[in-house]
Structure formats: C-alpha cells, structure tokens
C-alpha cells in the first residue's frame, strides 16, 4: 500500500474514532473517573462567569465553532496519523480546578452558570467524559424542571429532579470530542417548574452542581508547527488560563549582557501571560523533553544544537534534540550585543515575526519612556471609558441577578490629591423597562476592590423639568439609560483594582400567574468613565505594598530605565531563575519589556548609584550588598538578618516630627534569623547612594526561599499581607514589619506643598497654628503700641496748644 493510501486510511480511522463517542442525552450512573496518566499541567481556567445562552437541547446542531473544530481535526488528522494510543494522555479535572470556587448554584433569577477553559493548540482531544454530582430542590416538578448541560452550545445531557431524592450523582455523560475548540464554554442552564405560580425570585427553586464534579479529557500530541509568527506558542497558549512554566537554557549564566537579553524575553512572556503567572526554571543543558528557550552567543550554545550558521542577531525554532515534539527557541548572535538585539526582535517586534522557523533580526530603536506611561496603567490626565478597559461583552449580564460584572484597571499607586479629594466615577447602565421587572424594587450595587460604594435604583423618577421637556419634545418614554456620578476615596485605589457592578432585579408581580420572560438582559454602558485626572504622583516610602501591587517605584518607567539589578559575581541557576521570574512579574505589571534595566555585581554598584536598586542574593553572598541596607532598621552580618528595634526618642523636637520619620537611631537586637528552610525576606529602604531612590533586597539562605518571594508577588491573594518595609515569607505564611525611616518619592506643584507637609500630621498643624497665632498677636500688639504712641503724641500736642 502506498504511503498516501496509508495516510488516508489513518485519517478515516481517526475520524471514525472521534465521532464514535456521541453525546449522551440520558445520564447513566457511573463512578467518578480516575486519572490514568496526567503528565501535563492543569487546563487553564477562568473564574466562573455567566456564559452565552445555550442552544436548545432538542436540536444539538453543530454551530460554526464546532464546524471549525471539524476542520481542525481534518487538517491535523493526517499529521496525527501514526501516533499510537500509547502516547494518549488522560487528564482529569474537578470543576474547582476549572475555576469554580464553590458549587455552581442556579436559581430562577440566575438560571445560567458556566466555566471557561482552554485546550492547548498542540493537543488533540480524542475522547471526553463529564461526571457530575449535586442536588436539586425537592420543590421542583420533574416533568417541567431540568438542568441542560452544553459544551460550546452543543447539547451534552439533561439533569432531572427527583423530589424524593434531592441529591444526585455521580452521573456520567460522554462528550463528542468534535465539540472541543481552543477556548471552551461548559454551561449549565436551569429551567424551573414548581407547584403553583413560578416565581423567579423564589428561593425554594434551585439546582446545584458540585465543584467536585469532574471532566475527563483524553488527548494526543500534534506534530509541532515551528513558525516564529505563532509565538508565544508553543511555550504559552492564551486560551490556557494557568500558570506557565518556560525553561531557559543560558550559555553563560553570569554574563550581564546575556542576562539582560534573557530579562527582556522573560518580561515579554510575562506580558503575554499577564495575570496567569509564569515561572522560568534555568538550566545549563537542554531539557530531555518539552520546550525551552536558549539564549547566548552562537559559539557558546550547547553542543547538542550543533553549530548553526549565524550572520547577525538571529531567532530560530528547532526541534529538541531529545524530543521531536519539543521546540527550542534560539535567541542568539555573533556577540553579546547581537544577542540583546535578537531579544528585542521578540520584545518589540513580535507582530512582525515571519511565518518561518528562522529570522535575521534588524536593529530596533526603542524610544525612551516618560514617567508613569506604562501601557497597562490607565491615563491620569483624562476620563477613561470602560470600553477602553474591557470588551463590551464583559459589561453585559443575563438573568435577574447576573452576578458581578467587573472592570479591572491598573494605575500607579503613588497618587495624591489635594486634601484627599475623591476621584469621579460616571456610571451609565441599562435595565429593561417594565412590565418585565419591578424597577422600583430593583437596584444596581457599585463597589471597588470588594468594598461597597453606592446603590442605585433601576428606575429613577423623572423630575417635573424632565417631564415637561419630554412633553415639549413629544417623547412618550424615558430613556432606558440611567446615569449617575459617584466618588471614590483615594485610599480605595491602589496598583491593581477592580470596579464591580451587581444587578439585583426583582420580577414584577402579575396576577393570574402570567409567565414572564425566561431571560432578561442588563448592562453597564461602555461609555461610563473613571476620572483620576485630579491626582499627582508623590508618596512616602518604604512601602512593600506598592511593590506587590504595581512594581513601584521601579515601574515608574515602564522599561525600568531608572533601575538596576544587583546580583552576585557568579549567580547560580536558582538566583537567575528568581531574576527571570521577577522580570516576568514586571512585564505582566507594565505590559512592556524591561529593555532599560542594567545588571551589575555588588562591586560595580557605584556605577548605577543614581538608580533604584533591586538586590537578589543568598545570605552567604550578601556581605558585599549589606551596606546598601544601611538606611534601614535591618542589618546583615555573619550570614544572618538582624532586625533593628526602635530606640528611645530623645529631644523635645521629636514630638513634632512624623513618628515614622523619627526612627533614625536603631540598634541590632537578639531578634535575628538565618532565613533557612525556605524562608525569605523582602527589605525595602532608601538608597544610601542617592536620596529619594529605593533599594529592594530579596534575601534567603536557599533558592527555595528566593523563588517563593518572587512567586508571592504575583499572587493576588497574598498582596494584602505584604506591607511595611520588611516581609518574612515561609510559603503563604507572611509577616510584615515597619521600622525604617521614611522618605519621599515624587514631586508636587509649589501650591500643593503646604498640603503635603501638613497631610496626616496634626502636630504640625497645631504648631503652625500656634505660630500663626503668635505672629498675628505680635503684629496686633505692635500695631496697638504704635497707635497708642500716636494717640499719646496727639494728646500732648493738644495740651500744649491749650
């Protein structure tokens, strides 16, 4: 048989196998499937959000998305033919692992719950099964109530209530693998029926799917497509919402130029992964399996890659010598400057990468940055529309209580306003007019960062002026768009923020049990705005909370051009990995590569004395950098971190100072730590080399502690725990301290300086007030004395004349 005929037979066999597992419209009881070979990282997930309305269960027609999946299988089947079942991998994920924080509970007012997850582009789904368990209200009628399960709007199965047995499961549903696409929506749609009138707000009508329900997926790998235009694939797939691991292989780990090029790449990958997080383990040799990024001069690359012909800055994708399914990204050149130029080809020219496995990179001129212009930060010189921050679909909800609609935004945390004047939030929203909902009992709650701000009724009574205007204009109905302006206190806004909107609609009570609409729509208008234009950039440091939320003060310039990294003379792979992870965090924070960061050793730190400094070191190598913490209350000596305690305040003048600024005299105490066993410390203080500049030291006795320090920076759950000028971290157990002297970073107009000087300093206000009173009294006394002397002379003259 000819090779082409063999491929066609394999293609037909694969399609028969893919369509053999049809969706089961009737559930069958089965034990929860167990994983048999989960060798890949978990599927990416998003938080549970209401998804699109599912198609009718009675007509499971294949939509265009599913047709696209068919085409994908057809396109890849010939390449996949010949891959045996022995390489198939079974992945089992609970709904909690797919993003469900708790059970997916559906009610009449919120009948739709869903999860989003992705399938890596280099994997092909061959079979899948959903095993669900949960409970349904005993008040539901079996003949008129159900939960319909769909995947990408394709019918999977139906759950029916049993009033005598509310709990159900585990129930198993086979899923046709043809339904899977790169980004998937698993939906549960609730239809309620009960005895008597159906009321969507009735709390007795509900259905719940346990977060411990499982999705089992079997995949086979697809042959890799090595094209630079596909970057960041195969290293990162945007549909896979999980933390990413990208191995780096460095030809010379202690070379500053190679490290700078690696940092640019790491920050670019961090920009792509954003909130998902990324980790960069560092190796000296190519991993036996999987993908990796190799950075270095051509003559110093691992011998396993051979000696490719290099004529300048070059990007190249080649096969992993030990794994034909793995891809190696080469970032190389004839010298170190060309290696940096090659890394900029990805960091700043990724949109122009060719549909080829190799590219000779032309020099790229990168414009210098200005303060606070990071692409991820919202502008502070104008109102910003919600439509600029999120897609319109994220502002729309379905159902009477569609859940929280979120608008995330980022800003520099050093914002300051005159006398703490609040920021303005202009909210516009749409709700259905009657007689669908009782608008007077329905409302929209507005919050920020899980803090309540204001509530607004979905129906505002028109004023007499508005009614008169409508009559004159001939209008019969009021606009469905409501508009309100509220304020946000400055202390509620920090680096990473979320505006939150929660619709709570009450169904309109109608006589005779007349049925209402099955689904209603409400939305926040994308023309709503947030305005931070009354803010200036100035703050008091040290404050590690600013570092955790926005990388401040280092991200003041998006390319970190006013910062430098201080590393040991010969850093090991653990320290380099922590450095790359930190650059990934910076890229995810600013959405910009760190092309301006300089890398120096401790003995060359004077060359970057005018910059903010980031120190990465183990305690055994920290002797040369200990002097950089001389302005803090903490000292490093004998391989230990000594914590300084506040000394007794001396002198009357101290009572008029800021209590934090008065902590100038500290001494080492018996409180000390070796930072061993995975414990790490973050210390922040003013640089002894330049006033107003910051030193951030990440220290530990071992690599595990350093790695943990960087990882917690990217975890939102830990950000509230990171405060002060010292954080000790052991896993997720964080302890914060504040002892060091404070200093000011930023500038203000002259007219704002008195407000800044008096801000939150009541003693200063009292002293200045007393001084002002004394000055006024002195002026009045002098004026009265002069007036008394004048009157005395007048009286004397009058007496002489008389």
């Amino acid at each position: 048989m000819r090779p082409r005929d063999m491929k066609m037979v394999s293609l037909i066999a694969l399609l028969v196998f893919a369509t053999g597992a049809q969706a089961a419209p009737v559930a069958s009881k089965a034990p929860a499937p167990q994983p048999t070979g989960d060798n890949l990282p978990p599927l990416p997930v998003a938080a549970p959000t209401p998804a699109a309305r599912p198609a009718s269960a009675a007509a499971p027609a294949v939509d265009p998305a599913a047709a696209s999946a068919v085409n994908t299988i057809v396109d890849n089947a010939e390449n996949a033919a010949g891959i045996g079942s022995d390489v198939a991998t079974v992945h089992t994920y609970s709904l909690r692992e797919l993003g469900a924080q708790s059970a997916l509970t559906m009610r009449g007012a919120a009948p739709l719950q869903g999860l989003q997850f992705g399938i890596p582009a280099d994997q092909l789904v061959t079979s899948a099964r959903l095993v669900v368990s949960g409970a349904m209200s005993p008040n539901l009628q079996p003949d008129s109530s159900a939960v319909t399960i769909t995947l990408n709007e394709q019918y999977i199965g139906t759950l029916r209530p049993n009033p005598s047995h509310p709990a159900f499961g585990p129930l198993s549903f086979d899923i046709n693998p043809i339904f899977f696409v790169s980004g998937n929506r698993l939906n549960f749609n609730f239809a309620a029926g009960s005895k008597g009138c159906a009321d969507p707000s009735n709390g007795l009508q509900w259905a719940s799917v346990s977060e411990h329900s499982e999705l089992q997926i079997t995949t086979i790998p697809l042959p890799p497509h090595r094209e630079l235009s596909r970057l960041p694939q195969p290293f990162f797939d945007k549909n896979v919402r999980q933390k990413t691991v990208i191995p780096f292989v460095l030809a010379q780990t202690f070379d500053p130029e190679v490290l700078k090029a690696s940092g640019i790449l790491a920050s670019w990958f961090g920009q792509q992964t954003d909130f998902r997080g990324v980790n960069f383990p560092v190796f000296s040799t190519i991993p036996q399996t999987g993908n990796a990024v190799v950075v270095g001069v051509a003559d110093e690359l691992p011998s396993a890659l051979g000696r490719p012909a290099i004529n300048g800055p070059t990007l190249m994708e080649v096969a992993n010598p030990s794994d034909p399914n793995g891809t190696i990204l080469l970032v190389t050149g004839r010298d170190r400057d060309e290696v940096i130029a090659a890394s900029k080809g990805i960091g700043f020219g990724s949109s122009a990468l060719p549909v080829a496995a190799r590219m000779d990179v032309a020099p790229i001129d990168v414009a210098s940055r200005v303060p606070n212009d990071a692409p991820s930060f919202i502008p502070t010189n104008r109102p910003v529309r919600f439509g600029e921050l999120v897609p319109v679909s994220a502002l729309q909800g379905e159902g009477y209580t569609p859940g929280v609609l979120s608008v995330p935004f980022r800003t520099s945390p050093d914002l300051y306003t005159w006398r703490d004047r609040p920021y303005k939030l202009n909210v516009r929203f749409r709700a259905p007019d009657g007689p669908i909902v009782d608008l007077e009992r329905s409302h929209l709650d507005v919050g920020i960062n899980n803090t309540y701000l204001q509530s607004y009724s979905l129906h505002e009574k028109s004023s007499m002026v508005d009614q008169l205007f409508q009559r004159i204009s001939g209008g019969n109905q009021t606009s469905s768009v409501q508009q309100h302006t509220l304020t946000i206190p400055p202390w509620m806004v920090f680096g990473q923020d979320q505006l939150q909107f929660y619709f709570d609609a009450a169904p309109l009570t109608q006589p005779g049990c007349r049925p209402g609409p099955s689904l209603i729509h409400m939305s926040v208008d994308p023309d709503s705005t947030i305005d931070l234009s009354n803010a200036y950039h100035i703050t008091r440091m040290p404050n590690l909370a600013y570092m955790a939320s926005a990388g401040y003060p280092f991200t003041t310039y998006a390319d970190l051009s006013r910062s430098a990294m201080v590393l040991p003379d010969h850093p090991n792979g653990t320290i380099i990995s922590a450095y790359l992870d930190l650059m990934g965090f910076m890229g995810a924070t600013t959405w910009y590569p760190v092309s301006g960061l300089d890398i120096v050793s401790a003995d060359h730190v004077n060359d970057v004395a005018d910059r903010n400094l980031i120190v990465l070191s183990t305690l055994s190598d920290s002797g040369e950098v200990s002097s950089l913490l001389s302005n803090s209350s903490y000292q490093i000596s004998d391989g230990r971190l000594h914590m300084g305690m506040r000394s007794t305040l001396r002198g009357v003048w101290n009572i008029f100072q800021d209590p934090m600024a008065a902590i100038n005299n500290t001494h080492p105490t018996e409180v000390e730590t070796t930072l061993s066993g995975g414990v790490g410390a973050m210390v922040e203080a003013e640089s002894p080399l330049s006033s107003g500049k910051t030193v951030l030291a990440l220290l530990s006795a071992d690599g595990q502690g350093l790695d943990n320090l960087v990882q917690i920076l990217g975890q939102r759950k830990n950000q509230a725990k990171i405060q002060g000028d010292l954080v000790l971290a052991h896993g997720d157990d964080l302890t914060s301290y504040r002892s060091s002297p404070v200093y000011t970073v930023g500038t203000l107009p002259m007219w704002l300086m008195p407000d800044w000087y008096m801000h939150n300093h009541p003693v200063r206000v009292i002293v200045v007030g007393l001084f002002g009173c004394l000055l006024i009294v002195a002026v009045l006394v002098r004026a009265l004395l002069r007036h008394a002397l004048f009157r005395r002379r007048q009286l004397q003259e009058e007496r002489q004349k008389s």
Side-chain angles (χ1 to χ4, degrees), residues 570-642:
H570 297 282
N572 56 32
T574 301
I575 294 179
I576 298 305
S577 178
Y579 155 69
L580 294 179
D581 289 352
L582 186 59
M583 294 304 99
F585 168 76
M586 295 296 186
T589 300
T590 62
W591 298 351
Y592 196 84
V594 293
S595 59
L597 181 73
D598 282 342
I599 300 172
V600 298
S601 57
D603 54 350
H604 289 85
V605 73
N606 288 327
D607 297 339
V608 289
D610 60 339
R611 298 194 173 201
N612 297 309
L613 303 176
I614 303 176
V615 179
L616 271 175
S617 179
T618 58
L619 287 184
S620 59
D621 297 326
S622 60
E624 297 179 350
V625 300
S626 59
S627 60
L628 296 178
L629 298 179
S630 58
N631 283 340
S632 73
S633 298
Y634 316 103
Q635 299 179 7
I636 302 174
S637 62
D638 302 326
R640 292 174 176 268
L641 176 67
H642 301 257

Side-chain angles (χ1 to χ4, degrees), residues 727-760:
V727 172
L728 295 180
H730 187 194
D732 286 338
D733 186 11
L734 305 179
T735 307
S736 300
Y737 301 85
R738 182 183 293 277
S739 301
S740 299
V742 298
Y743 57 99
T744 299
V745 176
T747 58
L748 282 177
M750 289 298 298
W751 64 271
L752 259 178
M753 291 305 296
D755 181 68
W756 171 258
Y757 184 77
M758 300 295 177
H759 184 73
N760 289 337

